[in-house]
Amino acid sequence: MTAPVIALVDDDRNILTSVSIALQAEGFVTRLYPDGSSALKALADNPADLGVFDIKMPGMDGLALLSALRASGGASAAMPVIFLTSKDDEQDEAHGLAAGADDYIAKPFSQRLLIARIRAILRRADMSRATAPESDSEATSPVIERGRLRLDPARHQVTWGGRPVTLTVTEFLILETLAQRPGVVKNRNQLLDVAYQEDVFVDDRTIDSHIKRIRRKFRAADPQFDAIETLYGVGYRFSDG
């Protein structure tokens, strides 16, 4: 089994070195980049399995790096990313999620927590990128078609009215959960259970940020998109009507 490759991008050499050593001790392969520009050049053609980006870096910061990767349409467009943010900086966290990050951790951080979150996101990626079965008798995740939505879990592909929509692993799992049962309301905690493992604490308001970003991506393909409904104080539901 090939070891997962983690791209670490931070202008603090001490953080790069210490995190890299910790990850390698857990069986990961690491690639280190001191700035966003060098990371973009390398990752555009040769993506890692997951990226850990510092937000605040000179030159191209983590937000600009992620935006460039997401907009590239290449192999790195859907690469899961964890942002390292300033301590208690809610603006950093909001910007990170809006840019398409899968998670964020505030500095100073526990390497143990970072490793737990990396493992959780990679597990979700494995679930969403399930390979084809070895035999016809093995079950696969069925393609979900709801109105103009077509969602293929095995290939991690989403289209709306035939137009591709690129989602992160977290976004994909949230949308899949809502689309599986149109009209059924899912509260934030239910969506958190799907998107995050139990060993990772995430504020339930994080779901709101993910939903906003999912809507924005679909509205880029169709400005009239309104299939994800908000029931204030209750949760969200998918409407295929």
Side-chain angles (χ1 to χ4, degrees), residues 29-227:
V29 174
T30 59
R31 297 185 201 154
L32 312 185
Y33 305 99
D35 55 68
S37 298
S38 61
L40 176 61
K41 191 175 299 183
L43 294 173
D45 298 320
N46 189 21
D49 294 296
L50 182 143
V52 179
F53 300 170
D54 185 26
I55 283 190
K56 293 181 177 177
M57 296 183 289
M60 174 178 278
D61 63 14
L63 292 169
L65 170 60
L66 181 56
S67 295
L69 290 173
R70 292 286 187 253
S72 68
S76 291
M79 181 180 72
V81 168
I82 296 173
F83 266 137
L84 302 180
T85 72
S86 300
K87 183 175 176 60
D88 298 329
D89 193 332
E90 294 183 2
Q91 188 174 21
D92 271 359
E93 295 170 0
H95 286 168
L97 290 175
D102 292 82
D103 213 332
Y104 55 82
I105 295 179
K107 293 182 177 181
F109 58 89
S110 159
Q111 291 182 356
R112 196 170 172 185
L113 173 62
L114 175 61
I115 291 169
R117 293 197 180 186
I118 287 173
R119 291 193 186 283
I121 290 175
L122 289 177
R123 283 196 295 268
R124 299 202 307 270
D126 288 342
M127 289 167 54
S128 294
R129 291 196 300 260
T131 56
E134 295 180 359
S135 67
D136 293 339
S137 63
E138 292 179 287
T140 60
S141 300
V143 172
I144 298 173
E145 296 189 5
R146 301 285 187 264
R148 304 183 67 189
L149 175 71
R150 187 178 191 278
L151 189 149
D152 186 343
R155 294 176 176 80
H156 192 76
Q157 293 177 347
V158 180
T159 60
W160 179 259
R163 295 185 178 183
V165 179
T166 301
L167 300 180
T168 65
V169 173
T170 303
E171 294 165 356
F172 189 96
L173 290 173
I174 291 172
L175 177 63
E176 181 182 17
T177 300
L178 292 172
Q180 283 174 338
R181 301 186 65 189
V184 175
V185 179
K186 297 289 185 179
N187 62 39
R188 292 188 185 94
N189 286 334
Q190 289 173 314
L191 295 176
L192 280 173
D193 287 343
V194 170
Y196 291 90
Q197 298 294 322
E198 293 181 358
D199 58 356
V200 177
F201 172 77
V202 180
D203 187 276
D204 62 1
R205 291 290 176 178
T206 299
I207 291 296
D208 299 342
S209 297
H210 286 308
I211 292 290
K212 288 178 182 177
R213 195 165 65 252
I214 293 170
R215 285 173 172 154
R216 184 164 58 248
K217 290 183 176 182
F218 275 90
R219 285 170 182 161
D222 175 10
Q224 304 304 314
F225 175 82
D226 61 356

